[in-house]
Structure formats: C-alpha cells, structure tokens
Amino acid sequence: MSQVDLSFELFPPKNPKQEATFWRTVGQLETFAPSYVSLTRGALGASTDHDQVLFDLHQAVSCKVAGHITTRGANRHELSKLLGEWHQRGIRDLVALRGDGEAAADELPDATALVELARELGGFDIKVAGYPETHPKAQSRAADVAVAKAKVDAGASEILTQFFFEANDFLRYRDDCAAAGIDVPVVPGILPIADYQRVRQFAAQCGASVPDRFDEIFEGLEGNVAVQRELGVDLASELCDKLNREGVERFHIYTLNIPNFATKLAENLVREFAPQPIRLVS
Ligand code: FAD
C-alpha cells in the first residue's frame, strides 16, 4: 500500500451558520497535510464574497489554496483583472472551469480558453475538470477526452474528476486519457454521500450514475442523517480502496463543508494506505 495524498474541496459559506461550519471543517482538514484545499465559485458576480473567503482561507491554512474560476459572468478583461488580484494576494493555484450556461458574446467560450489566458498571465498552477462518465453535453466520449487533452496541452497540470461511484468508471476514464496522450495526473473526485436523495438529484444533473444497489443500502433511512453519513463514508472508503489497488494515490475529496465527515473518510484513507512497517522474518 502507498502513502495517501489528499486535496479537499470546499464551497464559500452563504450565512453565519454556514460560516461557522466552514471554518470548523477547514480546521479539521489541516491535520491531513493536504496538497491543497480548493474553493468553488459561481459565475462572477453570483457570489460577491468569494474572493474574501479565498483570501481568508489562504491566510488561515498552511497548505496551498486553489481558487475555482469560471468563464461565465465575466469577459476576458475582467478575468485577467481578477487573476491579477488573486496572484497579488498569493493565490497561485487555480481550478479553471467553463461554468454552466451558454457564453455571452464577450465571454471566453470554454475552459481551454481560460487555461490559455491563465498561462499567458503566468505564475499559476492550473487544474481542470474531467468526467469519468462523460460530460452530459459532450458530443461523444472521444470529444470529451479530446477537450481534456486540449486543456492539458494549453497548460493544465492535473485533471480533477467529477464524482462517480463505480471504480471502473474512473479506471476506464484514466485509460482513455492515457490513450489520448494525457500525461498529467487524473485525480478522482470522491463524494462521500451525506444525503442520499440529494445526491441522486445532483448526480442526475451532473451526468453521474448512482448504482442501483445504493437504493437498497439507503432504503428507509430518509431523515436519518447520522446513519446515512456513516454509510456514505464507508462506501467512499471502499471506493478509494478499490482505486488504490489500481495504483491511485491521489484523492480529491468533496467535503460539503461538513465537519467530522470528510475527515472520517480521510482518517480511513490515511490509516489504510499508510506504508506498512517492514517485518523481518527470522
Ligand atoms: P470544458 O472543459 O470547457 O468542457 C468539458 C466538456 O463539456 C467538453 O466535452 C465540452 O464539450 C462539454 N460541454 C460543456 N458545456 C457544453 C455545451 N453547452 N455544449 C456542448 N458541450 C459542452 N462549476 C462552477 O460553476 N463552479 C465551480 O467551482 C465548479 N467546480 C467544479 C469542479 C470540478 C472538479 C468539476 C468536475 C466541475 C466543476 N464545476 C464547477 C462544473 C463545471 O463548470 C461544469 O461541469 C461545466 O459544464 C463544464 O466545465 P469544464 O470546465 O469541464 O468545461
């Protein structure tokens, strides 16, 4: 077994209650010495406090902080200005995304163009998104993987995937990426289930499938948050274990900003994937 290497995804809190749980979660993640923590973002203007949270996070943690940035809601000039401000404030890691909805006339068309822009400005390590089960709007699997390749050719250093629940979906995607000549790490995005019904709805929007056997596992547990979360962590640990057996050593964990949740998964991974002491046989 290998050493585990983790990164964690957070979203900006929207009210004082969420703010409290956000910072509690952040405090707990530090224990795992993550490669970085990332902060999601809506279209520019949709979450005006995003930048302040990003800067506060950068001050608060000892690891790197990656800001998600989308092409939607801002033109090239505004995005350049924003990236300049981030760089000045010490943010050197980006998750460059297209965002959802059609591009306005003056907006960059896709994530590839955003990677190109960030590369032109310089000084950023750029991560991008990938889709083990293919982006729901992609023309084909091959076209989707070709987009991932274009983002890497434009300068991305890592592909973070959409969540998935079957190890084979990820492994097939990793193979397809390798066959397309993608030579940067493809890092699985791991979503521990906190609320099964919500995950089902969300998965349908993202083009991710939920295995039928999960219906049985979560049957009758509506409203039983504690048990659902326990099962969610167990299932995510199992998934990571299968991936680790196939050589996966990096995991990007969606924290959902829930204290004592993603950290349980992280604890399992650190415990299970720690290098075993060498036993001398006499
Ligand atoms: P691209 O790399 O430009 O495209 C990816 C694929 O989607 C390509 O195959 C492309 O052809 C296809 N595609 C996308 N839209 C269309 C379309 N309209 N028509 C045809 N094909 C299309 N969103 C946010 O708003 N904020 C975030 O912080 C955020 N974080 C994310 C983090 C991760 C790890 C992931 C996996 C997704 C995240 N998203 C976020 C969602 C992302 O913005 C959407 O999935 C978006 O639709 C595609 O973004 P992309 O960067 O992958 O796009």
Side-chain angles (χ1 to χ4, degrees), residues 36 64-68 86 90-95 123-127:
Y36 60 87
K64 292 188 280 188
V65 173
H68 290 218
W86 283 13
I91 304 298
R92 299 293 146 82
D93 292 78
L94 305 176
V95 183
F124 291 107
D125 187 275
I126 310 160
K127 302 147 211 332

Side-chain angles (χ1 to χ4, degrees), residues 79-237:
L79 286 171
S80 301
K81 191 164 160 262
L82 182 80
L83 287 171
E85 281 166 20
W86 283 13
H87 194 271
Q88 212 174 16
R89 298 289 290 260
I91 304 298
R92 299 293 146 82
D93 292 78
L94 305 176
V95 183
L97 301 142
R98 176 186 188 274
D100 285 312
E102 290 312 307
D106 62 346
E107 287 174 0
L108 298 179
D110 52 32
T112 310
L114 181 56
V115 176
E116 282 164 0
L117 174 64
R119 268 302 270 218
E120 243 172 77
L121 296 171
F124 291 107
D125 187 275
I126 310 160
K127 302 147 211 332
V128 291
Y131 301 87
E133 296 178 81
T134 307
H135 188 284
K137 292 201 168 154
Q139 280 166 356
S140 67
R141 168 71 157 195
D144 199 37
V145 172
V147 169
K149 172 80 163 71
K151 292 190 281 193
V152 171
D153 289 347
S157 65
E158 186 173 85
I159 297 176
L160 298 175
T161 78
Q162 184 60 276
F163 67 87
F164 58 93
F165 296 109
E166 298 285 17
N168 280 338
D169 288 330
F170 174 83
L171 297 171
R172 265 195 296 269
Y173 181 67
R174 189 179 64 169
D175 288 350
D176 289 354
C177 285
I182 291 173
D183 57 0
V184 301
V186 180
V187 178
I190 305 293
L191 178 72
I193 294 174
D195 178 336
Y196 185 59
Q197 289 312 320
R198 284 182 71 177
V199 164
R200 267 212 160 282
Q201 286 162 11
F202 188 47
Q205 291 162 23
C206 299
S209 55
V210 180
D212 288 343
R213 66 177 191 284
F214 282 18
D215 279 346
E216 251 173 70
I217 294 174
F218 288 94
E219 196 182 342
L221 293 176
E222 294 85 3
N224 193 339
V225 176
V227 176
Q228 285 204 43
R229 288 184 182 179
E230 239 173 75
L231 288 169
V233 168
D234 286 350
L235 289 168
S237 302

Side-chain angles (χ1 to χ4, degrees), residues 10-13 22-23 26 37-41 47-61 63-69 82-83 85-87 89-95 124:
L10 297 143
F11 61 85
F22 174 85
W23 289 112
V26 170
V37 293
S38 80
L39 188 71
T40 64
R41 181 188 184 90
S47 63
T48 44
D49 289 341
H50 174 275
D51 288 358
Q52 194 53 52
V53 179
L54 187 68
F55 303 146
D56 290 347
L57 191 57
H58 177 56
Q59 291 297 318
V61 298
C63 65
K64 292 188 280 188
V65 173
H68 290 218
I69 180 164
L82 182 80
L83 287 171
E85 281 166 20
W86 283 13
H87 194 271
R89 298 289 290 260
I91 304 298
R92 299 293 146 82
D93 292 78
L94 305 176
V95 183
F124 291 107

